[in-house]
């Protein structure tokens, strides 16, 4: 059972910087890496455009998503997580929960109001994973 998402502090800085640059829109990115037992290890972050251009929702254009999948495959990695920011607490919204059920990989959410960074996974229930920064 997946329990932990492992990221480097460089990845966190990258996500925070990109999120600040995207304001006032929500930012989104895909996390590439490997699954290793109970751990998901992130090795690359690919930032994507928020196709919704919205302050409160996000979506990734199918063509861009396809390019990221190709890129991941070429580098022998999997898409192991979805990142987006919230102008609110880092808690999945009703819309997020709907899409988390369709994409049952870890969802990493950064709050731009209090800087909280929390990762959730849907597997029958929404549960929080341990975030490990190394
Ligand atoms: Zn959200």
């Amino acid at each position: 059972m997946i329990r932990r998402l492992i990221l480097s502090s460089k990845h966190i800085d990258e996500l925070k910087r990109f999120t600040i640059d995207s304001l006032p829109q929500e930012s989104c990115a895909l996390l590439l890496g490997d699954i290793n037992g109970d751990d998901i290890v992130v090795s690359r972050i690919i930032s994507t455009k928020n196709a919704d251009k919205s302050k409160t929702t996000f979506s990734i254009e199918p063509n861009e998503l396809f390019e990221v999948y190709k890129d991941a495959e070429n580098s022998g990695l999997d898409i192991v997580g979805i990142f987006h920011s919230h102008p609110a607490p880092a808690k999945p919204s009703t819309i997020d929960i709907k899409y988390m059920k369709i994409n049952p990989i870890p969802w990493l959410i950064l709050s731009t109001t209090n800087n909280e960074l929390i990762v959730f996974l849907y597997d029958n229930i929404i549960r929080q994973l341990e975030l490990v920064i190394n």
Side-chain angles (χ1 to χ4, degrees):
M1 189 167 82
I2 300 298
R3 294 173 197 283
R4 311 200 303 171
L5 183 81
I6 303 173
L7 283 156
S8 70
S9 52
K10 250 174 88 180
H11 290 142
I12 305 280
D13 290 346
E14 206 179 313
L15 290 171
K16 288 190 172 169
R17 202 175 329 114
F18 164 64
T19 294
I20 289 166
D21 290 346
S22 304
L23 284 171
Q25 293 180 18
E26 282 195 7
S27 64
C28 48
L30 293 163
L31 312 179
L32 273 56
D34 296 290
I35 299 169
N36 185 358
D38 294 345
D39 294 341
I40 290 188
V41 184
V42 176
S43 47
R44 247 177 89 196
I45 287 166
I46 298 185
S47 57
T48 51
K49 283 195 203 87
N50 181 352
D52 289 354
K53 298 188 190 306
S54 163
K55 294 177 186 177
T56 52
T57 65
F58 81 100
S59 68
I60 301 168
E61 220 236 307
N63 281 338
E64 192 171 13
L65 197 55
F66 179 71
E67 289 304 319
V68 177
Y69 268 96
K70 271 206 315 208
D71 198 340
E73 207 182 313
N74 290 338
S75 36
L77 299 169
D78 289 318
I79 294 181
V80 292
I82 297 173
F83 165 83
H84 74 290
S85 68
H86 270 188
K91 216 178 70 182
S93 67
T94 311
I95 298 171
D96 290 339
I97 291 170
K98 183 179 150 197
Y99 287 102
M100 285 174 80
K101 290 177 179 178
I102 299 169
N103 296 292
I105 60 174
W107 281 54
L108 180 64
I109 305 176
L110 172 67
S111 165
T112 51
T113 53
N114 63 16
N115 244 357
E116 258 186 329
L117 184 64
I118 307 181
V119 59
F120 300 91
L121 177 67
Y122 175 80
D123 59 6
N124 298 311
I125 53 154
I126 303 278
R127 61 187 174 88
Q128 197 178 323
L129 302 179
E130 189 188 340
L131 186 65
V132 179
I133 300 165
N134 65 14

